[in-house]
Amino acid sequence: MDTIASLFSFITTPVSWVIVQFHTVYGTIFGPDTGWAWGLSIVSLVILIRICLIPLFVKQIKATRAMQTLQPEMKKIQERYKNDKQRQSEEMMKLYKESGTNPLSSCLPILAQSPFFFALYHVLNGIATGKTIGVIDDQLLASARKAHIVGAPLAAKFMDSTDKVTALGATLTDVRVVTAVMIILMSASQFYTQRQLMTKNVDTTVKTPFMQQQKMLMYVFPVMFAIFGINFPVGVLVYWLTTNVWTMGQQMYVIHNNPTPGSKAQAAYLERLFKHVSHHGKTRNRREKAIVKAIVVKGRDRNDFERKFINGLNKAGLAAQPDGSVMTSDGAAVVQAEDGTTTTATATAPRRQQPKRQTKSQRQSGGTKPADEATESPSLTKSDEPEDAPAAAGKKPGNGARSKAQSGQRKGPQRPKSPSKK
């Protein structure tokens, strides 16, 4: 413990100072020696730290999604250079550099809050052992040792002995019941956070080893929290339970408003977005415009949920524009092709009339024409010629219906019929 404390001594003083400042505020409301004052001080410390880590959390989400898309390429590299580990590592680094991703980015929030966790653990351990640390003097130390959270002292642990718990002014049963409940809640919140990430915010169309790793961590992390939790003081359990609840709420917000493409969460989000856009005829804010713009730009690379969204807008008389806006069919519309590409067209352009399909008898008789066209076009029977014209030309007279334009008769010299055999 001394080694860990020496490594994180640079942050122990700031953490203790922040706790004291929050304790001063809450102490005036609930009393300086109450568990509410010290417990809320720890909760406020967690909220302050997590607000500062929001940019890293956004970077973690982007890195996680980028790693999911790179899994097929990574698998190909591993199979191609399975006998050459050095070349495999070089190709992996090249792939990361080209895609602009970093596998360590997904661990940034955990790594960033680790110093605060160990500093808080050292501060609470000092309170449990009766040692002043940072800006916590003897008066604040005595106040913290008197503080109880639902009957459990702030510095008590699940594995503490009866004598130690009695010295802190509590009973072993109260300490173990409170710590057990907090450990269960801490593990359950961690499990639920991982589970909603796996079941709702993962692209179901891509099966990669990354999904198997996440599924394994979904069961491993809660067990690890349960094992280590029995050695955490009550104050640290308050800290860790608060950060887990914050992570769970933050994850739910991201899944609800910015889901992973191809996931079930995206299908639910696009359904809600379609209902709003079809009702109001426009997008609400910049974020929705950015999502619609990204869908339009994808073209033929859209997934099934995105194609369903675009087709639903078209059926509702709306069209998604390349800038992310949505317009009615009276203005410029985006015409969707079968392959997913988009072309801009105007909805007021007249539609070309398709000719009516003729029947088989009409095609064999040379087609039928309207009455007004029949009066203007020349007749095929040549009625203006005299009836004795064929006889004067040395031709066999015949009916006018048997003209050279007779339906079914081949033009040009006819092949003589072969004499019949008797």
Side-chain angles (χ1 to χ4, degrees):
M1 178 60 64
D2 294 337
T3 304
I4 296 177
S6 62
L7 289 175
F8 296 98
S9 60
F10 69 95
I11 201 171
T12 302
T13 301
V15 167
S16 62
W17 182 84
V18 173
I19 291 177
V20 169
Q21 300 307 313
F22 282 122
H23 176 263
T24 303
V25 176
Y26 293 122
T28 58
I29 302 174
F30 302 102
D33 300 335
T34 60
W36 283 102
W38 286 100
L40 290 176
S41 299
I42 297 173
V43 172
S44 300
L45 173 67
V46 175
I47 295 175
L48 179 63
I49 293 173
R50 295 309 300 266
I51 290 175
C52 296
L53 294 178
I54 286 178
L56 294 180
F57 179 75
V58 174
K59 192 172 183 180
Q60 177 194 20
I61 293 175
K62 294 180 179 179
T64 302
R65 293 182 180 178
M67 290 297 295
Q68 289 177 351
T69 57
L70 288 180
Q71 286 298 323
E73 298 295 331
M74 293 171 62
K75 189 175 182 180
K76 292 179 182 179
I77 292 175
Q78 291 174 355
E79 294 177 353
R80 185 180 303 173
Y81 305 104
K82 59 183 178 180
N83 297 326
D84 190 352
K85 297 298 182 182
Q86 183 177 358
R87 182 66 182 279
Q88 185 181 120
S89 301
E90 293 175 356
E91 293 295 328
M92 288 288 189
M93 295 304 296
K94 184 179 178 181
L95 180 63
Y96 294 149
K97 186 176 181 180
E98 290 177 353
S99 59
T101 58
N102 187 352
L104 296 178
S105 298
S106 58
C107 303
L108 284 177
I110 297 177
L111 296 176
Q113 67 177 326
S114 295
F116 299 96
F117 169 76
F118 286 111
L120 178 62
Y121 183 88
H122 186 58
V123 169
L124 295 175
N125 186 70
I127 293 173
T129 56
K131 297 179 181 179
T132 59
I133 184 171
V135 298
I136 297 179
D137 53 15
D138 293 333
Q139 183 179 359
L140 292 172
L141 179 63
S143 175
R145 289 177 66 85
K146 294 178 183 178
H148 289 65
I149 297 178
V150 199
L154 197 68
K157 304 176 185 177
F158 183 87
M159 299 300 294
D160 283 345
S161 61
T162 305
D163 296 337
K164 189 174 181 178
V165 173
T166 304
L168 294 174
T171 61
L172 185 62
T173 302
D174 293 339
V175 171
R176 291 192 173 179
V177 169
V178 171
T179 53
V181 171
M182 295 181 71
I183 290 171
I184 292 173
L185 293 176
M186 185 177 62
S187 301
S189 60
Q190 179 68 32
F191 176 79
Y192 181 79
T193 302
Q194 290 294 120
R195 187 176 184 276
Q196 73 172 349
L197 182 65
M198 287 295 302
T199 57
K200 295 183 179 180
N201 206 37
V202 173
D203 188 357
T204 56
T205 60
V206 180
K207 303 296 182 180
T208 62
F210 180 78
M211 296 176 61
Q212 298 297 328
Q213 296 174 5
Q214 289 289 95
K215 188 175 182 180
M216 181 180 65
L217 294 176
M218 181 175 65
Y219 295 98
V220 171
F221 276 166
V223 175
M224 292 176 59
F225 276 109
I227 293 174
F228 293 127
I230 60 176
N231 293 314
F232 288 162
V234 173
V236 175
L237 292 177
V238 171
Y239 171 88
W240 209 251
L241 177 60
T242 306
T243 193
N244 278 3
V245 173
W246 177 280
T247 302
M248 181 176 64
Q250 193 171 244
Q251 187 72 49
M252 291 175 65
Y253 175 82
V254 171
I255 291 175
H256 187 270
N257 295 282
N258 190 17
T260 300
S263 62
K264 294 181 179 179
Q266 189 197 29
Y269 175 80
L270 291 180
E271 185 177 354
R272 295 192 304 270
L273 181 61
F274 170 75
K275 289 180 180 179
H276 173 83
V277 172
S278 60
H279 180 70
H280 296 281
K282 62 180 181 179
T283 52
R284 285 183 293 185
N285 47 42
R286 256 185 240 179
R287 178 173 52 82
E288 291 184 351
K289 285 186 177 181
I291 291 176
V292 174
K293 180 180 179 180
I295 294 175
V296 173
V297 170
K298 280 185 178 181
R300 66 184 64 191
D301 294 330
R302 300 187 191 112
N303 55 49
D304 294 338
F305 306 133
E306 295 166 346
R307 283 193 289 268
K308 183 180 178 181
F309 173 74
I310 295 294
N311 293 334
L313 290 179
N314 293 337
K315 292 179 180 179
L318 301 172
Q321 302 302 309
D323 62 349
S325 61
V326 176
M327 299 180 64
T328 60
S329 56
D330 294 336
V334 176
V335 181
Q336 302 294 325
E338 292 294 335
D339 57 355
T341 58
T342 58
T343 56
T344 304
T346 56
T348 57
R351 296 182 60 184
R352 187 178 63 181
Q353 297 293 335
Q354 297 291 337
K356 295 183 179 180
R357 188 174 180 180
Q358 297 179 344
T359 62
K360 185 176 179 181
S361 59
Q362 290 175 345
R363 290 196 299 269
Q364 290 179 352
S365 62
T368 60
K369 293 185 179 182
D372 56 348
E373 293 183 7
T375 57
E376 296 178 0
S377 60
S379 175
L380 295 179
T381 57
K382 294 185 178 181
S383 59
D384 55 344
E385 294 184 2
E387 295 182 358
D388 57 346
K395 296 181 181 180
K396 185 178 180 179
N399 191 5
R402 292 186 176 273
S403 62
K404 62 179 180 180
Q406 183 179 3
S407 175
Q409 183 177 353
R410 184 180 299 174
K411 296 181 181 181
Q414 300 296 322
R415 184 176 178 180
K417 295 183 180 180
S418 59
S420 59
K421 297 180 181 180
K422 295 183 180 180

